[in-house]
């Protein structure tokens, strides 16, 4: 029986028929693309129509590039030259309006990407907090730069300035939070942004369009819809993008970079694939390791770049680990996002269950078994996580980033085996290490920190708290994101210098006293 709580039912379609360009919500009269949820609203399964979005093309892409370029105006536009304090005011205006959209955005997060109610609320709240923390961090950065230093007879005021037009593309698993972890620092540092929402989780941006329009000067933020090929490609080909900020797939990141005619001018801020391993040592606290490996591999159905995507268990404890791990996986509750206590939820990509099934079939052919009873059970929009053991390098699931509900487990006898595998891997984001004996752990930590960028001791991998640096080695990332680092990633050091003599100093003093310049300014923002 259909038991969708009244407040979460889809009672009207959300047809997004405007887009934000040059400070104007322009009416879209062209072709549209329907937006479906893989969640059913009826007892007999069927996807739910949520609404539609514009299907844009080259003309709108060029319009967005034009608006953003004009807003930058070679660094002379209103937004890039604005006082930091005034940019902060715009952002504060935005976040205040954003907070009023919480219930709408949370509801759409559940329907569009199947994220549980609690996690959807967390995503929204974490994003609001991220914006406030970014403002605080920018105030500190501003305060720390608000002085002249004298070196070898030269007075200099060094600050951080914007880089230019940013193309911002976020992932479907965190369509709000991760996208905003790029967009907000990019914008607040004075860069005009062109933002195209992810393939899933696109309607949830609709409630925010007016807040964007009301809060920022024209052209500072431009929001377009459509497919990457039709919209992002012409934007890159224009050569007018200075930063490509993308969290998602490395194939798209490479294709987009290749389309830019001036590659050395293009800065990259990328969060890409990962295959984070868990390593369970013989003396690990198994209850803790199992609990963390379940959260690490299966929260949001494994659709996290930080998810544990392969588990190495020492051969001496593998039998016990597997038995208890498999039983705990089978006990996980599956249901629609608003259902109480639900852990596993429908997958937003309609082809995902079939892909996960392919990985399972391939592993079975190559010698693995499904060691949990419910593993691989499918419904039209989900597949129950299969725990695969023993996994080996002949299997696709060893190499591919599954980004979904399947957990491969391998054994090791010598610790050098997982270390070698990590060294050979194309990825290098994080690792989870479970154990206690410090004579074993100490040298391991010293090696692991050079293979990845975060070693999680007796805990699952994760991005947060957002004050910590989020990055990766090898093909997993370009640049570093955190509240503090993102402000630096989206800006460049630039300064005014003059020889220390009476003539120059008088001019500098006059500039400071008059407050005519937004750059040469020693105001503190409290
Ligand atoms: O998709 C990758 C996200 O950055 C993961 O973030 O660890 O907070 O889930 P999370």
């Amino acid at each position: 029986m259909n038991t969708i709580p009244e407040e979460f039912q889809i009672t009207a379609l959300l047809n997004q028929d405007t887009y934000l360009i040059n400070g104007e919500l322009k009416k879209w009269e062209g072709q549209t693309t329907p937006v479906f949820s893989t969640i059913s609203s009826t007892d007999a399964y069927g996807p739910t129509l949520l609404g539609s979005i514009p299907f844009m093309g080259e003309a709108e892409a060029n319009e967005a590039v034009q608006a953003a370029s004009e807003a930058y105006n070679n660094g002379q536009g209103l937004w890039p030259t604005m006082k930091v304090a005034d940019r902060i005011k715009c952002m504060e205006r935005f976040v205040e309006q954003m907070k009023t959209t919480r219930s709408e955005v949370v509801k759409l997060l559940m329907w569009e990407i199947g994220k549980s109610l609690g996690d959807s609320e967390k995503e929204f709240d974490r994003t609001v907090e991220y914006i406030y923390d970014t403002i605080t961090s920018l105030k500190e950065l501003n305060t720390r730069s608000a002085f002249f230093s004298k070196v070898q007879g030269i007075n200099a005021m060094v600050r951080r300035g914007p880089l230019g037009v940013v193309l911002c593309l976020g992932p479907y698993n965190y369509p709000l939070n991760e996208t905003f972890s790029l967009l907000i620092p990019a914008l607040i540092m004075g860069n005009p942004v062109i933002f195209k929402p992810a393939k899933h989780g696109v309607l949830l941006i609709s409630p925010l369009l007016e807040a964007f329009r009301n809060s920022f000067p024209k052209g500072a933020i431009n929001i377009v819809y459509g497919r990457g090929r039709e919209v992002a490609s012409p934007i890159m080909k224009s050569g007018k993008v200075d930063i490509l900020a993308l969290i998602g797939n490395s194939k798209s990141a490479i294709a987009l970079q290749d389309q830019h005619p001036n590659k050395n001018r293009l800065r990259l801020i990328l969060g890409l694939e990962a295959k984070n391993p868990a390593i369970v040592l013989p003396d690990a606290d198994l209850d803790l390791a199992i609990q963390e490996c379940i959260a690490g591999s299966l929260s949001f159905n494994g659709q996290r770049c930080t998810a544990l995507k392969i588990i190495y268990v020492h051969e001496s404890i593998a039998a016990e680990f597997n038995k208890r791990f498999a039983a705990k996986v089978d006990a996980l509750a599956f249901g629609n996002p608003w259902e109480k206590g639900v852990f596993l939820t429908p997958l937003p990509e309609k082809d995902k269950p079939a892909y996960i099934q392919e990985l399972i079939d391939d592993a079975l052919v190559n010698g693995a078994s499904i060691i949990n009873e419910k593993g691989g059970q499918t419904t039209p929009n989900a597949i129950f996580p299969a725990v695969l053991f023993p996994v080996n390098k002949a299997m696709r699931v060893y190499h591919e980033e599954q980004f979904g509900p399947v957990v491969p487990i391998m054994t090791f006898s010598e610790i050098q085996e997982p270390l070698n595998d990590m060294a050979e891997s194309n990825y290098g984001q994080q690792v989870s290490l479970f154990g206690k004996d410090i004579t074993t752990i100490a040298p391991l930590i010293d090696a692991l920190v050079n293979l990845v960028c975060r070693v999680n001791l007796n805990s699952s991998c994760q991005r947060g708290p957002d004050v910590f640096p989020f990055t990766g080695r090898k093909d997993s990332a370009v640049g570093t994101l955190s509240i503090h680092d993102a402000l630096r990633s989206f800006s460049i050091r630039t300064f005014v210098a003059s020889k220390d003599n009476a003539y120059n100093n008088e001019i500098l003093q006059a500039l400071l006293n008059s407050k005519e310049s937004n750059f040469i300014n020693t105001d503190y923002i409290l």
Side-chain angles (χ1 to χ4, degrees):
M1 209 184 68
N2 182 358
T3 52
I4 303 171
E6 208 178 318
E7 71 267 36
F8 302 136
Q9 287 175 13
I10 299 295
T11 47
L13 296 184
L14 201 176
N15 294 315
Q16 181 54 48
D17 60 358
T18 56
Y19 61 111
L20 181 61
I21 298 267
N22 211 20
E24 202 189 320
L25 278 172
K26 293 185 92 172
K27 184 90 179 145
W28 175 251
E29 313 273 7
Q31 202 184 324
T32 59
T33 309
V35 177
F36 283 98
S37 169
T38 58
I39 300 171
S40 184
S41 304
T42 47
D43 292 341
Y45 177 79
T48 302
L49 181 64
L50 302 177
S52 64
I53 52 163
F55 180 90
M56 295 184 163
E58 198 170 337
E60 295 72 35
N62 292 336
E63 209 186 341
V65 170
Q66 179 79 8
S69 301
E70 279 171 15
Y72 193 61
N73 189 21
N74 297 310
Q76 298 158 62
L78 174 64
W79 187 239
T81 57
M82 192 180 271
K83 270 201 182 88
V84 173
D86 291 335
R87 286 208 297 260
I88 287 175
K89 276 188 204 136
C90 293
M91 195 57 84
E92 284 170 340
R93 204 152 51 223
F94 172 75
V95 72
E96 285 307 312
Q97 291 171 68
M98 174 178 170
K99 285 193 290 188
T100 65
T101 66
R102 185 177 188 264
S103 56
E104 242 178 308
V105 174
V106 165
K107 178 175 166 181
L108 286 163
L109 267 167
M110 291 192 286
W111 277 99
E112 287 195 271
I113 62 163
K115 192 168 276 190
S116 69
L117 174 60
D119 283 350
S120 296
E121 289 172 335
K122 225 185 282 165
E123 175 158 356
F124 188 92
D125 297 340
R126 179 182 176 183
T127 309
V128 168
E129 201 181 315
Y130 187 94
I131 299 176
Y132 282 121
D133 289 347
T134 297
I135 291 172
T136 305
S137 188
L138 179 56
K139 286 180 181 173
E140 281 167 20
L141 178 63
N142 181 71
T143 300
R144 273 201 302 275
S145 324
F147 70 97
F148 272 94
S149 52
K150 193 196 296 185
V151 181
Q152 294 177 11
I154 294 181
N155 286 312
M157 177 174 272
V158 184
R159 286 182 174 276
R160 300 201 72 94
L163 283 151
V165 174
V166 180
L167 174 61
C168 178
L169 304 167
Y172 82 80
N173 62 335
Y174 282 89
L176 183 73
N177 182 265
E178 292 233 287
T179 309
F180 278 37
S181 75
L182 302 171
L183 191 154
I184 298 298
L187 200 50
I188 208 166
M189 291 312 286
N191 306 285
V193 174
I194 304 170
F195 161 40
K196 188 186 85 60
K199 64 175 171 176
H200 302 293
V202 46
L203 288 176
L204 60 90
I205 300 299
S206 298
L208 298 167
L209 283 189
E210 289 210 5
F212 274 121
R213 196 238 354 233
N214 299 342
S215 308
F216 299 100
K218 66 176 191 172
I221 170 81
N222 305 280
I223 302 179
V224 289
Y225 295 89
R227 292 211 309 228
R229 213 172 317 136
E230 278 83 8
V231 180
S233 294
I235 292 174
M236 291 305 286
K237 282 183 190 156
S238 74
K240 292 193 174 144
V241 171
D242 299 282
I243 306 182
L244 172 63
L246 175 150
I247 296 183
N249 180 277
S250 56
K251 277 197 197 115
S252 345
I254 289 172
L256 289 167
Q257 288 170 57
D258 283 347
Q259 287 163 353
H260 198 291
N262 308 104
K263 293 206 174 31
N264 291 340
R265 202 186 290 179
L266 180 68
R267 306 262 166 150
L268 299 172
I269 297 165
L270 309 175
L272 304 170
E273 297 93 311
K275 190 85 185 167
N276 292 342
I279 301 175
V280 188
L281 299 171
D283 68 339
D285 174 332
L286 275 197
D287 285 332
L288 177 63
I290 288 167
Q291 177 193 316
E292 290 291 319
C293 283
I294 288 194
S297 57
L298 290 173
S299 36
F300 194 37
N301 313 304
Q303 301 165 118
R304 295 162 58 231
C305 62
T306 47
L308 289 174
K309 301 204 175 89
I310 188 135
I311 301 180
Y312 290 86
V313 186
H314 190 266
E315 59 183 10
S316 61
I317 51 162
E320 185 62 17
F321 179 94
N322 287 351
K323 187 174 79 184
R324 285 157 63 179
F325 185 84
K328 288 245 177 208
V329 170
D330 276 347
L332 296 173
F334 171 83
N336 281 333
W338 39 82
E339 287 173 29
K340 221 172 169 203
V342 80
F343 186 84
L344 302 165
T345 51
L347 302 170
E349 294 175 290
K350 68 177 181 348
D351 301 334
K352 199 48 148 311
Y355 168 68
I356 297 291
Q357 187 63 55
E358 275 180 30
L359 294 182
I360 295 172
D361 293 344
D362 169 77
L364 298 183
V365 167
N366 284 290
S369 303
I370 300 175
I371 62 166
N372 58 323
E373 273 174 32
K374 294 192 192 168
Q377 287 177 4
T378 48
T379 57
N381 58 11
I383 180 161
F384 200 87
V387 184
L388 298 172
F389 180 83
V391 162
N392 62 49
K393 294 182 186 178
M395 299 173 188
R396 284 176 59 189
V397 75
Y398 173 84
H399 298 278
E400 294 176 27
E401 187 200 35
Q402 62 267 43
F403 215 79
V406 57
V407 188
I409 302 182
M410 299 179 77
T411 57
F412 66 95
S413 54
E414 299 297 330
I415 190 63
Q416 199 54 45
E417 296 163 34
L419 291 182
N420 288 347
D421 290 353
M422 288 172 72
E424 270 169 32
S425 163
N426 289 332
Y427 307 117
Q429 191 197 64
Q430 300 188 17
V431 65
S432 289
L433 178 63
F434 296 93
K436 190 166 177 228
D437 172 30
I438 59 157
T439 57
T440 312
I441 286 175
L444 254 180
I445 288 177
D446 294 350
L448 288 168
V449 287
N450 294 339
L451 286 166
V452 294
C453 288
R454 174 165 167 165
V455 176
N456 299 278
L457 189 56
N458 292 312
S459 19
S460 61
C461 296
Q462 63 179 51
R463 173 191 166 126
D466 291 324
V467 287
F468 291 146
F470 179 56
T471 184
R473 295 172 186 270
K474 298 192 263 188
D475 296 345
S476 284
V478 178
T480 302
L481 292 172
S482 74
I483 287 158
H484 171 93
D485 292 296
L487 294 176
R488 284 150 185 86
S489 299
F490 284 101
S491 61
I492 190 164
R493 303 238 290 166
T494 181
F495 66 106
V496 176
S498 78
K499 287 199 178 122
D500 182 38
N501 56 43
Y503 178 73
N504 285 339
N505 292 357
E506 198 179 318
I507 297 172
L508 288 182
Q509 195 63 60
L511 277 166
L512 283 170
N513 293 346
S514 70
K515 300 188 190 297
E516 285 289 324
S517 165
N518 293 342
F519 189 96
I520 297 189
N521 193 303
T522 48
D523 284 355
Y524 281 13
I525 313 168
L526 296 172

